Amino acid sequence: MAMDLQEIARHIDEHQQQGREMDKVTLSYPSLKVEDAYKIQRICMEEAASRGDSLIGWKMGLTSAAKQKMVGVEEPIYGRLTSSMEMNSSVLSMEGLIHPKVEPELAFILKKDLKGENIRPRDVWMATDCVLPAIEVIDSRYRNFSFTLEDVVADNASSTKFLLGDQAFSPYEKAWDKMGVSILKNGEVQHEGVGSDVLGHPVRSVAELVNMLHKEDLGLKAGMVVLTGGFTEAVNVEEGDEILVDYEGLGTLSMSLSK
Ligand code: OOG
Ligand code: MG
């Protein structure tokens, strides 16, 4: 089949908007390259912008071994975060979701633009205003949450919603790689992780994102949010579930699943 990236993007965008399952795009387009998948992401973002949505940040995904093993894709990917994905309360409605999962993350909020090809952790610290506890909700549009690298990139790295904690912390608050995190569902611990599970240190995830974006001549802007990737495996959720993430020494962040 001739490959029309606009057409594929429209197909994916529709399924994202309607919260409908679909087949892997690589089934119809086996020659789809990861570069094409990132172009599809960019086109979907343009579609979203035409609906009044805006780009407010980026997420890294598959930055921990736990996450890579879970989905069978062994390299980090990025996705686009839009204003409509940010939750303004801790209640998540199941409406319009397919088979959501939640994961414990950290968010870096930038105070300066950051763009370049050899970005190191210290460049990231100099551009970071604060760090916030975060919970990401991912909901792959692919049947059975099953995909290849190219599929998941084309589906905006499964991005769906995200919740940021109210309390911001200084980047110098603690050694983020030493911080333990545990995620509980209905009072029971599901998974535990530590900051170093995310590429050795969550700050490295931001540096890697900037280096990856540079290949598309893109960069981060002051004020943007960056999710650094799940510390642990993601947890399936359904209506009625209560999620609590405990960030060692910083408190907790919770989310309730409603109808
Ligand atoms: C891909 C998105 C991965 C993370 O934090 O690793 C991700 C997926 O697992 O569906 O958001
Ligand atoms: Mg994530």
Side-chain angles (χ1 to χ4, degrees):
M1 216 185 291
M3 205 162 56
D4 176 347
L5 298 184
Q6 291 279 351
E7 182 55 38
I8 303 173
R10 205 161 27 243
H11 174 77
I12 295 176
D13 181 63
E14 260 172 40
H15 286 77
Q16 289 173 341
Q17 286 312 297
Q18 298 166 7
R20 275 201 295 132
E21 272 186 328
M22 62 187 189
D23 288 327
K24 289 187 276 229
V25 290
T26 54
L27 291 178
S28 306
Y29 304 97
S31 62
L32 189 86
K33 301 275 175 294
V34 68
E35 294 78 10
D36 299 322
Y38 279 116
K39 282 185 199 146
I40 291 170
Q41 234 190 65
R42 200 194 266 237
I43 300 169
C44 288
M45 184 62 232
E46 287 163 9
E47 287 286 318
S50 72
R51 286 190 292 268
D53 214 354
S54 54
L55 181 72
I56 60 166
W58 300 83
K59 64 168 273 186
M60 283 291 272
L62 311 182
T63 49
S64 64
K67 284 283 326 191
Q68 292 181 355
K69 258 193 226 109
M70 188 173 186
V71 300
V73 175
E74 303 207 328
E75 56 189 279
I77 57 175
Y78 63 80
R80 286 157 162 90
L81 300 177
T82 70
S83 48
S84 68
M85 294 177 189
E86 182 166 3
M87 296 171 63
N88 49 22
S89 96
S90 61
V91 179
L92 175 69
S93 167
M94 284 296 290
E95 210 183 303
L97 302 181
I98 307 163
H99 40 205
K101 299 177 195 259
V102 297
E103 40 190 28
E105 304 225 5
L106 282 179
F108 280 53
I109 312 292
L110 297 200
K111 63 181 174 192
K112 289 190 190 150
D113 294 359
L114 196 54
K115 187 172 191 288
E117 58 186 333
N118 286 311
I119 296 295
R120 292 150 300 187
R122 68 180 164 85
D123 301 310
V124 175
W125 291 129
M126 283 163 54
T128 299
D129 189 60
C130 57
V131 177
L132 306 178
I135 298 177
E136 192 192 17
V137 180
I138 52 173
D139 194 22
S140 174
R141 268 53 66 166
Y142 299 113
R143 263 178 247 299
N144 306 317
F145 233 102
S146 157
F147 42 69
T148 67
L149 170 66
E150 292 77 14
D151 292 304
V152 67
V153 168
D155 184 26
N156 197 20
S158 311
S159 301
T160 301
K161 294 276 177 194
F162 64 95
L163 176 68
L164 300 181
D166 287 336
Q167 182 61 55
F169 295 94
S170 158
Y172 313 110
E173 172 80 18
K174 56 162 63 226
W176 299 96
D177 59 333
K178 304 289 191 302
M179 181 183 65
V181 166
S182 48
I183 181 162
L184 292 81
K185 179 163 80 173
N186 305 325
E188 279 179 32
V189 175
Q190 308 291 307
H191 303 293
E192 290 173 312
V194 62
S196 58
D197 290 338
V198 175
L199 296 179
H201 193 303
V203 73
R204 291 190 170 276
S205 179
V206 184
E208 178 67 12
L209 170 65
V210 180
N211 294 329
M212 288 170 83
L213 287 178
H214 191 72
K215 300 197 177 100
E216 285 195 68
D217 196 29
L218 297 170
L220 304 181
K221 297 264 185 273
M224 279 186 159
V225 179
V226 177
L227 294 179
T228 57
F231 285 67
T232 68
E233 277 178 48
V235 173
N236 290 307
V237 287
E238 52 187 55
E239 184 191 334
D241 284 342
E242 295 290 337
I243 294 294
L244 184 100
V245 180
D246 193 324
Y247 299 84
E248 188 186 4
L250 301 184
T252 61
L253 187 57
S254 50
M255 188 181 282
S256 310
L257 277 289
S258 77
K259 212 157 147 186

